[in-house]
Amino acid sequence: MKHDLQGIFDALLEGVLILDEADRIERVNPEARRLLGLAVDATPGRTLGEVLGADHPVCGVVERVRRSGRASIHDEIEFPQRFESPIPVDVAVSNIGDAPSGTPSALAIAMRDRSAARTLREEISERERQESYGHIAAGIAHEVRNPLGGIRGAAELIGMRSQDERSQKAASLIVQEVDRISGLVDELMVFARGDRLELRPVNIHRLLDGLLDLVQLERGHEAIRLVRRYDPSIPEFEADEARLQQVFLNLVRNAMQAMESRPGTLKISTGMTLEHRLVGEDGRAQPTVRIRIQDEGPGIPEEILGRLSTPFFTTKPKGTGLGLSVARHWVRRHGGRLRIESVLGEGTRIDVDLPLHPPAQEIRT
Ligand code: ADP
Ligand code: MG
């Protein structure tokens, strides 16, 4: 019977950890180990604080339960992970055993990984946001495009008819600015149109090499050092080459621009992951290509991180603020994800995860 219980305990999808009355770890199942980052042999006889560090959030919850004597449930506490972003975990702590009230008893801690739910939530709000960009884009295009054509035509006419140089210059300035606005409207239109992707086998390394050379030639980028770490085992995979070019051009350009005032190293790496966040149509994790772009620029302040992918948000005097939102749009259309992580003063890291097999609704050409 003892073995059966241990088997059930180990098979639970929730993390469970049992502490004795002195906070020593008595039992811990594999899921709890994963969430807490515990090594298999690290635990017997040691206290929770010794193993996790006293400042781990779960130690705080345990302490509160010890003090109040009452069970406690917390939503989405962030559990730090050594090499990954923190995992949101629901935590329930309760007294077990039959110690008389007022004396310390054994505790059970149940933990549930909420990353999938959180990702789903983020996906939904992201999709809603993208849809609203589409509506705005369509509205602007409709209201702005036609009058722009009229303005441009009229300015050209004035330019041709007028004799003095100043009027001609003014007229050509109008034409030039109208063209700039038209360009922006065109870019914004990517959100409005539901164009199908043109899928063809793409060699991601060739694609990256092509645009890296291009961006490095731009003014101010000569001193930036490029380091490429490509995983040669990545096969060609179906994607829309022109769209992906746009994605990585925007991202690489941002990274290089971030290092213009203080040249550093731009690291581009690729690899395969079984990313649990990219879930295929059959609900299973699917093989994913990860392209990582890491710069040594100034980093991005926390308070603007959430706004970066909003169209027209820019901190650059001549920026359009469309680069990241357009990049995110095309990555999503490929069934992928784009993540931004940044440390002030150290740099910014962008991960683009693309499924090796694109969503079925995109046609192949
Ligand atoms: P733009 O480059 O025209 O400003 P983007 O959408 O490409 O528009 O980027 C939006 C903003 O995000 C930038 O103005 C900049 O503040 C910030 N940003 C993007 N990439 C980086 C990066 N690698 N390092 C620091 N800041 C960045
Ligand atoms: Mg940009």
Side-chain angles (χ1 to χ4, degrees), residues 142-162:
H142 184 254
E143 295 297 325
V144 171
R145 267 240 184 88
N146 294 339
L148 276 184
I151 295 171
R152 193 180 195 282
E156 275 181 332
L157 207 64
I158 294 172
M160 279 189 299
R161 296 234 173 120
S162 73

Side-chain angles (χ1 to χ4, degrees), residues 250 253-254 257 316 323-324:
N250 292 356
R253 192 170 273 148
N254 278 346
Q257 285 172 348
K316 300 170 193 167
L324 269 178

Side-chain angles (χ1 to χ4, degrees), residues 15-19 25 27-39 42-43 48-49 51-53 56-59 62 77-82 87 89-91 109-111 113:
V16 182
L17 194 143
I18 310 289
L19 295 182
I25 298 174
R27 241 165 221 246
V28 49
N29 74 350
E31 175 65 0
R33 282 186 199 284
R34 180 182 76 85
L35 293 172
L36 294 167
L38 293 176
T43 40
L48 196 63
V51 176
L52 294 178
H56 193 284
V58 86
C59 296
V62 166
I77 297 182
E78 302 269 335
F79 278 23
Q81 304 295 310
R82 205 170 297 165
I87 301 180
V89 181
D90 287 351
V91 180
I109 307 172
M111 290 165 270
D113 183 345

Side-chain angles (χ1 to χ4, degrees), residues 249-255 257 313-314 316 319-324:
L249 197 64
N250 292 356
L251 300 178
V252 167
R253 192 170 273 148
N254 278 346
Q257 285 172 348
F313 176 85
T314 181
K316 300 170 193 167
T320 63
L322 285 171
L324 269 178

Side-chain angles (χ1 to χ4, degrees), residues 28 87 98 102 105 115 169 213 248 254 295 307 364:
V28 49
I87 301 180
D98 42 15
S105 73
S115 355
K169 264 206 183 132
D213 293 341
F248 292 108
N254 278 346
D295 67 55
R307 292 155 63 200
R364 287 153 184 78

